[in-house]
Amino acid sequence: MVKNINPKIMARNSIQPQRIKEQMMLLDVKSLDCLWERAYRCPCYTNGAPRVDCKLCHGQGFVYKDSYELKIAMYSDNNKPIYVNDTNTIPLSTLATPQITSNGIEDGISVSDRITVLNWGTPQQYMLNITNDRFTNGVFIPYKVLDIMHAFIFNDDETDLVDIKDKVTIDDNSFLKVNDETLIGKTISLMLNVDKRFYVVGLNKELRYETFEKLEDKEYATGLGNEFLSYSQIVDGKIDPTKKQLFKMPNQLILRRENLYFPNYNIIENDNDTTNNLAINDVEADLLLG
């Protein structure tokens, strides 16, 4: 038999709940427009690692689906704690709190999900070489490229750089291609403008919740009638105006920038050589994925 050992409080509890309306409004004003994508393991895994030639994940090991637009407040990096895994001591990238409606999606934001700050480009260097196969089929770039700012190769005597930006393109599937056969055998140093993307590496406050009694508070806690949301933690997923109800609140997220996981080069000697597009061992440790 389960024994209830809670105190028998007879008086009406006068402690007020969180001011949910003000919190939602504050997040609305102080947040960035973001894209939240849920992460799923790619089924290409072989011998404990993703296949680097996988046409779906391209060796990254994860597929991102179920996208949601969501406002997220980003915190300062100052005085952040240090995250330690088995091999590294790594400063955290940033902390963030999503809009309250994130918990209207079952289980909310999870470790390994991806967050993109919308309409915010950031410079990223990347280096690769062009082989016969890469000239024909292209090279996968592990970023969402908005623009190629520069594409440099050596000049003939290797004393200066030549910008060949007009000979390089990147398609919607993030494959870089060159249109000049003389570039076969050349190494290209790229300066790209890419989406600012993060991985969720931890939930600093995994269980945030509040009990509300007022109907208005409950309406805000459930997203003011947003059609895409559902709340399994309340009976039948519906507001009951006659009694107190418990609601999930958004977690505090621990985020790390995407470029902390990808190597900034992809150099091979032969067409049948492969390079992993994600430093998967570091990601496995940081994201605590089993």
Side-chain angles (χ1 to χ4, degrees):
M1 183 182 72
V2 178
K3 298 177 181 179
N4 187 338
I5 60 173
N6 290 309
K8 295 182 179 180
I9 300 175
M10 303 303 294
R12 181 177 175 83
N13 197 326
S14 61
I15 301 300
Q16 296 298 307
Q18 299 179 42
R19 299 169 66 179
I20 186 70
K21 178 179 178 179
E22 285 76 6
Q23 289 182 356
M24 182 178 284
M25 296 302 183
L26 179 63
L27 284 169
D28 184 66
V29 171
K30 298 296 184 180
S31 298
L32 297 169
D33 291 325
C34 294
L35 182 71
W36 160 34
E37 298 169 278
R38 309 200 81 163
Y40 298 91
R41 286 278 198 170
C42 182
C44 73
Y45 266 69
T46 303
N47 297 322
R51 290 202 337 259
V52 295
D53 61 344
C54 177
K55 295 180 180 180
L56 183 59
C57 76
H58 305 286
Q60 297 180 43
F62 302 99
V63 180
Y64 294 91
K65 299 172 67 67
D66 302 335
S67 302
Y68 304 94
E69 290 185 14
L70 180 70
K71 286 182 174 290
I72 300 179
M74 304 290 184
Y75 292 63
S76 171
D77 289 347
N78 294 335
N79 301 316
K80 55 188 177 293
I82 298 297
Y83 176 78
V84 181
N85 64 26
D86 292 340
T87 58
N88 297 294
T89 300
I90 307 171
L92 299 175
S93 177
T94 193
L95 302 177
T97 297
Q99 183 54 276
I100 290 164
T101 46
S102 63
N103 284 316
I105 303 300
E106 188 63 29
D107 299 326
I109 298 175
S110 302
V111 170
S112 76
D113 287 356
R114 186 166 65 188
I115 305 294
T116 302
V117 180
L118 297 176
N119 304 313
W120 195 312
T122 190
Q124 178 62 49
Q125 297 190 47
Y126 199 74
M127 187 165 60
L128 53 85
N129 62 331
I130 303 300
T131 63
N132 286 293
D133 181 73
R134 288 179 167 187
F135 178 77
T136 302
N137 298 312
V139 188
F140 179 73
I141 305 296
Y143 299 98
K144 179 61 176 178
V145 179
L146 303 174
D147 182 42
I148 301 173
M149 300 167 67
H150 297 287
F152 291 117
I153 62 171
F154 273 134
N155 63 1
D156 291 339
D157 59 2
E158 299 187 357
T159 59
D160 203 353
L161 297 177
V162 178
D163 198 335
I164 57 163
K165 175 183 174 180
D166 59 334
K167 299 180 180 181
V168 177
T169 60
I170 297 180
D171 64 21
D172 292 337
N173 295 317
S174 296
F175 273 84
L176 178 143
K177 294 187 176 182
V178 297
N179 58 18
D180 186 343
E181 195 169 356
T182 64
L183 294 175
I184 296 175
K186 300 289 188 180
T187 296
I188 303 175
S189 179
L190 299 162
M191 177 60 76
L192 307 171
N193 182 30
V194 304
D195 270 342
K196 186 179 287 292
R197 298 198 296 200
F198 298 81
Y199 289 119
V200 180
V201 300
L203 305 176
N204 207 27
K205 297 182 179 180
E206 188 171 0
L207 291 176
R208 277 179 164 175
Y209 54 89
E210 185 59 88
T211 299
F212 295 112
E213 186 172 11
K214 294 181 180 178
L215 178 59
E216 182 185 37
D217 290 341
K218 295 176 182 180
E219 289 174 341
Y220 277 96
T222 52
L224 298 173
N226 188 306
E227 61 181 310
F228 298 112
L229 306 178
S230 61
Y231 294 86
S232 61
Q233 78 273 19
I234 55 180
V235 178
D236 297 327
K238 298 179 181 179
I239 293 173
D240 185 341
T242 67
K243 63 180 182 181
K244 293 182 179 180
Q245 289 177 288
L246 181 70
F247 295 88
K248 296 178 183 177
M249 293 290 104
N251 302 319
Q252 184 180 66
L253 311 177
I254 302 174
L255 307 178
R256 295 197 70 218
R257 275 285 309 281
E258 180 180 52
N259 64 335
L260 298 177
Y261 294 113
F262 296 129
N264 61 0
Y265 61 91
N266 188 345
I267 305 295
I268 62 174
E269 294 184 7
N270 304 296
D271 278 333
N272 59 351
D273 291 343
T274 57
T275 59
N276 206 328
N277 287 306
L278 190 64
I280 192 66
N281 292 332
D282 289 340
V283 173
E284 293 285 357
D286 282 358
L287 303 189
L288 305 179
L289 294 174

